[in-house]
Each structure stands twice: as C-alpha cells, then as structure tokens.
Amino acid sequence: MMHLSSTKGLSTDIFKWIFGTITGAILLMFFLRFGFQHLDTTEQLGDQQQIHFLNDFLDSLSSAEISHRDLSLQESTALSFSCDVFGSTTYGRNFNKLVFAPRSLHGDYVHVWAQRWSFPFPIAPLFYLTNDRHLTVVVYDDFTQDLVDELDVPPEFPVQFVTKENFNVKELDASAKGLDSLTVVIVASMDATRLLSQFTAPVTFIVVDPEQSTLRFLTTGQSSFYLGAPLLAGLFFAPQEYPCLLDLSLRRLQNVAMVYSHKANLLLQKTTVPVCRDMLFEMAQTLATFSRARDNTELHTIAERLSSQQRALLQQSCPRVF
C-alpha cells in the first residue's frame, strides 16, 4: 500500500510540475507578445506625436513674423510626403495643407518656410520643407533677374542661384553623388537638352518660361504652369509631386474665388451708389468665371482683370471685395 501511495503522490507532483511549466510558458508568451505590441504602439505613438507637432509648427509659422525656421526632430527620422498627405513610415494624415517637399526627408532637422500665396487675392499659405540632402540649382540670366529676386528664398535653404555664365555641369554632376536628389531649374535662354545629356548623376531637369508662366520637365516630358512666384518656388522642393499640388492649389483658388463672388453680390445688395453697383456686379461675374477656370492663359487674364476691377472700386470709394 505504501508503494502505491508513494507512486500516486509522485504522479500528482509530476502533473503539477507539468501544468505549472505549461502555464508559465503561456504566461511568458502572453507578456512577451504584449511587450512587443506595446513597443510597436509606443513607436507608432511617437511618430504620431512628431507628425502632429510638425503640423502645429506649420500652423504657428504661417502667422509668425519670421516665416522660416529650422525644425529639430527628436531623433533621426524619415518623413514622407505625397500630394495631400505627410507623415512617417508608420503614420500619415491629410492636414489640408499645401506642403511642397521631397517625397522623403531623412535626418534630425528640416528647413521650413511659409509664405502667403495670392493670385490676385489671398488664397492660402504655402509651406516648403527640405534639408541639405536635397539641392536645387536655379540658372538665370539678366532677363530673368527680377523673377529670381521675387522668389526671395531664405538663405539657409539649399537653393543655389547661378548665372548661366557660371553654370558648370561637371562640378555640379560631381557634387550630386552624395545627395538624395538634385533638381536643376533653367530660367534662362540655354540649350537645356544638351545640358541634361552631360549629367551622369540622377537629376530632375526643368525649363521655365517666365513670359508664359509655363514649365517643362525634360526628364519626363510633362508640361505644366505656375501662378505667381510662390507656386514656382514650390516646384523647387517638390518637383515629383508638383502636378498634383498644382491641382490642389487650383481647387483652393476656385473655392476662394467663389467666396469672393458671393461677397461681391452681398455688397451689391447693400450698395445704393449706381457706379458701385455696376462695378460690383461685373466683379461678381468675373469671380464666378475665375472659380471655373483651369487654363493657364485664362487664369492669368482673369487675374489681371480682377486686379484692375479692384483698383477701379477703390478709386470710386466703393466697398473693396478683397
């Protein structure tokens, strides 16, 4: 009997030991899995906080007296930008902003610049982001000096303005080896196709016609246009996403134009001066047409007409529309 009792006790102990081992392994796996999930969540939360901090920084910069600053990131990170979304490798969001930046920015800092875009009325702030691993070279001549001065790019931004006499393809091609991207913008009378053929490093080559406010991507064959210097500046920092960002900018312009058209109609109802009523009616119609325009030539023609109509209103002491 004692032998049987001893065997039964031993079996019970073994069963308890096996049960405890299995339970411990399950608990260990649970806590390890929870730990890894928590680590992933923490990293994602850190990315979210960083992206939202960047968005808040852009908001503050758009209304600040100093419109350009360097933003230090908490750690070396990778920011990603598409047409209407910016974020990181784990988190992205549409913040309803017009942000011109390379598709990817790596590093622990970023140059940030904001300026108001008007055409001819205030439309929206434009934001430009880059770092020193992305270089833009703008080649100009005496006939386009005024356009270069109008761009007013902050000095810390990696944008080099070079006269066509001093443009050296060989030196630039050699320096491009350590860059994430190189963009060359020609706003001078030059044989751009021949210049492009001399590069061995990857380069985005763009020819701008200031007379027509048009541009042509030599490397892809695409054509586009710009509405004022602020949009042209956006091309320097987001050449790949520029066509899509231009489309978003046009939608913003159209929405604002419709708002001003409604405003002109409201002022028309409140005004009793005949000359003011006539001009406000005409301006409301022009703004309504502007809100539907998408052609480069038409947009520039209507913008000039609106500027003239606004000046005429002010000369007659009529209410201003914008």
Side-chain angles (χ1 to χ4, degrees), residues 116-125 252-253 256-257 260 321-322:
R116 176 66 59 175
W117 173 44
S118 298
F119 191 81
F121 44 76
I123 300 169
R252 193 73 62 90
L253 180 151
V256 176
Y260 278 123
V321 177
F322 56 83

Side-chain angles (χ1 to χ4, degrees), residues 28-208:
L28 178 61
M29 291 175 63
F30 170 78
F31 284 117
L32 284 173
R33 182 179 179 185
F34 176 80
F36 283 120
Q37 288 179 338
H38 179 69
L39 179 61
D40 292 341
T41 303
T42 302
E43 290 177 350
Q44 186 174 358
L45 180 61
D47 283 349
Q48 289 185 24
Q49 290 175 336
Q50 194 156 235
I51 298 306
H52 281 276
F53 173 74
L54 174 58
N55 180 59
D56 293 340
F57 183 82
L58 296 180
D59 285 334
S60 65
L61 195 63
S62 64
S63 58
E65 291 185 7
I66 301 175
S67 63
H68 53 91
R69 295 174 186 265
D70 283 354
L71 176 63
S72 297
L73 304 175
Q74 292 182 353
E75 58 185 18
S76 183
T77 187
L79 298 176
S80 61
F81 299 87
S82 64
C83 180
D84 55 357
V85 174
F86 66 85
S88 64
T89 55
T90 61
Y91 178 76
R93 181 175 170 182
N94 184 347
F95 289 96
N96 196 31
K97 286 181 170 62
L98 298 172
V99 179
F100 294 82
R103 286 177 174 171
S104 180
L105 280 175
H106 299 269
D108 54 5
Y109 75 95
V110 61
H111 301 306
V112 186
W113 174 31
Q115 67 172 326
R116 176 66 59 175
W117 173 44
S118 298
F119 191 81
F121 44 76
I123 300 169
L126 303 185
F127 301 95
Y128 316 94
L129 283 73
T130 190
N131 61 24
D132 293 337
R133 298 172 69 170
H134 300 266
L135 175 63
T136 298
V137 178
V138 181
V139 187
Y140 67 98
D141 56 22
D142 293 339
F143 298 102
T144 54
Q145 177 72 60
D146 291 342
L147 176 60
V148 169
D149 294 338
E150 187 182 356
L151 289 167
D152 196 26
V153 178
E156 66 270 22
F157 270 61
V159 179
Q160 297 178 6
F161 294 94
V162 182
T163 62
K164 69 176 185 179
E165 292 80 10
N166 294 325
F167 183 55
N168 190 310
V169 173
K170 184 176 293 186
E171 289 183 3
L172 183 59
D173 189 44
S175 65
K177 300 297 192 295
L179 298 172
D180 287 347
S181 74
L182 171 63
T183 301
V184 176
V185 181
I186 303 293
V187 286
S189 178
M190 303 175 71
D191 187 350
T193 302
R194 183 182 62 81
L195 293 173
L196 174 60
S197 66
Q198 297 176 23
F199 278 89
T200 59
V203 58
T204 300
F205 221 89
I206 306 166
V207 178
V208 175

Side-chain angles (χ1 to χ4, degrees), residues 28 136 200 219 231 243 266 279 286 297:
L28 178 61
T136 298
T200 59
T219 42
L231 266 185
L266 289 174
M279 287 192 292
T286 304
T297 302

